[in-house]
Amino acid sequence: MRRTDRPRTARRPGRRLPVCAASLTALSALVLGSGPAAAQDPVANRAPGPVTWRADLAAGTGDEANITRADGSLRLRDGRLRPASVRARQGQGTAVLPARVLDRAVNRIAVDLDATTPAGTRTAVDVRGRDGLGRWTEWREARAGEPAVLPRAVTEVQARLTLVGAPAGTTPEIRGLGLSAELGAPAAGAGASAASAAAPFSARVFATREGLVGGTTANGHVIVPDDHFVALPSRRGLSPKGSAEYSVRVCGPARCETAPVWDVGPWNTHDDHWNPSSVRETFKDLPQGKPEAQAAYENGYNGGRDEFGRRVLNPAGIDLADGTFYNVGLDDNGWVTVTYLWTGDGAATRSFPTWGMGVNIRKQATTASTRVAQLAGPTTVRVQCQVRGQLVQIDGWSNDAWSYLPDYGGYVSNIYIDVPEGWLPGVPTC
C-alpha cells in the first residue's frame, strides 16, 4: 500500500514518529495483500471458505439431561421423562456439546445430522456463539439446508442436541453431527437493533407457580423445595445446567429477583416472545412481549390452543419456581414485570469509514492475536466500543486505540478508522 493511498483528511493524535522498521512490521501485521474496494457487507470481507468439524458424540460432556450413549450414538435414557414445566406427553433429553474455538469470525452455522426419527419423535440442533466481548448469543436452531444465522459475528461456537420421544416411549437416535461455519450477511434486523443503545427488553407477563418438586427441568436440574429459577416457553434462552448465562429479573408485588432460565414452558416450547417479531421463532404475527398463550387465552389466537393443540387455560408466559414465586410477593398466579437480561446490546453502535487495503481484524486488540476477518478495501463499519491495546505505528503515525466491530467479531486498529480523532467520539470503552 502506498502512503498516498490514504485520504488527505485523516488525522491521528499522538507523537509524530519517523518511518522505521518497527512501523513497517506493524504495517505488515495489520495489512495483507490488496484488491478492489470492499462492499459494505461482511460477505465481501470474510475469510475464504467455511471452517468445518465433526462433533465427538462418544465422549460424555457432563452437561446432559436424560441421555444415554451406545456405540457413539445418543438416545433418550427414559422415554417418559419430560421437562417439568411444559407438561407435555413426550419424553425429552438434551446434550450440550463442548464449545469450539475457531480461527475466524462466523455467524452462519450449517449442520449435517445423522439421525433416525421414528414416527412421533424428532430431533433438533441448536447452536450459539460467543463474541470477542465474551457474550453468548441466544441459541438458534439449525436445520438441514437451513443454516442458523446468529445475531452477530462470533469466534466460538457451541451446539446443543435435543431428542424428543413419542408419547408411547419410542426414542429417536443421533449417530453423528457435522458442522460448518462461515461469515455471511448479518441476520435480518441485526443492524437496526444495534443502531442505538438497547437496554434489556422488559414486558408485563402472567406468571404461574411451577412447583413440581422432584421433577426434572429441561436442562436436567432436579427441582427442590424453595427453588429459585424460571421457565420460559422457548429453548432459545435456556441456560445450561447450573449456569445463569440466560437470566431474567422478575418484579412482583413485593420485590424483584434475578433468576436463571432452567426450564422450557409453560404451554409452548417455540415461543420466544421477548424477541422482535422479525426474528421470533414462531407466531411472528404477534407483537414483541406478548406470549402466544396470552393471545390464545385472551383473543382466541390459534383457535385458543397452544402449539400442542391443547386448550390454553391461562395466559401464562413464564413459570416461577416456588422460591422465586413467593420471594417476589405472589401468593397466587399473577402479573409480573420480566426483564430478559441477555437481550440488551449494552451499547450503541456508530458507523465510521475506513481506509486501507487488506486491513486485518483481530480477535484481541493486538497484532499478535488471531486474524478473524479482513477488510478488502475502504468500507463503512459499525463500531460498538473501543479499548486501549497495542500501540500501532504506521508511516510516522501512532495510536493504541482499537475498535470492536460486532459484524466481524473482532478488533481493528483505530489508525484505519478514517476520522480526525484517534479515540473515536461518542464510542464507549469496552
Side-chain angles (χ1 to χ4, degrees), residues 380-402:
T380 298
V381 295
R382 293 193 309 122
V383 174
Q384 182 168 325
C385 57
Q386 55 191 332
V387 297
R388 297 293 182 184
Q390 178 188 354
L391 179 68
V392 175
Q393 303 172 3
I394 296 177
D395 291 349
W397 299 92
S398 65
N399 198 336
D400 65 353
W402 292 67

Side-chain angles (χ1 to χ4, degrees), residues 95 171 174 184 235 291 385 401:
T171 176
I174 294 179
R235 297 192 309 268
C385 57

Side-chain angles (χ1 to χ4, degrees), residues 250-266:
V250 183
C251 294
R255 63 186 61 85
C256 299
E257 177 181 320
T258 298
V261 183
W262 282 356
D263 208 357
V264 176

Side-chain angles (χ1 to χ4, degrees), residues 131-142:
D131 64 16
L133 299 179
R135 308 168 306 168
W136 286 107
T137 69
E138 276 191 338
W139 297 97
R140 290 288 188 267
E141 186 172 352

Side-chain angles (χ1 to χ4, degrees), residues 205 207-209 226-230 248-259 318-338:
V205 179
T208 48
R209 183 176 70 88
D226 196 37
D227 220 336
H228 289 259
F229 67 87
V230 307
V248 296
R249 183 166 178 79
V250 183
C251 294
R255 63 186 61 85
C256 299
E257 177 181 320
T258 298
I318 188 171
D319 261 350
L320 309 181
D322 287 358
T324 302
F325 185 88
Y326 293 116
N327 185 44
V328 301
L330 293 174
D331 54 14
D332 196 0
N333 298 336
W335 295 92
V336 296
T337 299
V338 181

Side-chain angles (χ1 to χ4, degrees), residues 65-85:
N66 195 29
I67 293 293
T68 186
R69 282 180 168 76
D71 300 325
S73 296
L74 305 185
R75 297 175 64 88
L76 293 178
R77 177 173 51 81
D78 182 347
R80 298 164 296 179
L81 186 64
R82 60 188 187 272
S85 180

Side-chain angles (χ1 to χ4, degrees), residues 111 137 173 216 240 243 251 263 295 328 339 381 421:
V111 298
T137 69
E173 178 183 9
T216 302
S243 87
C251 294
D263 208 357
V328 301
T339 302
V381 295
E421 301 85 355

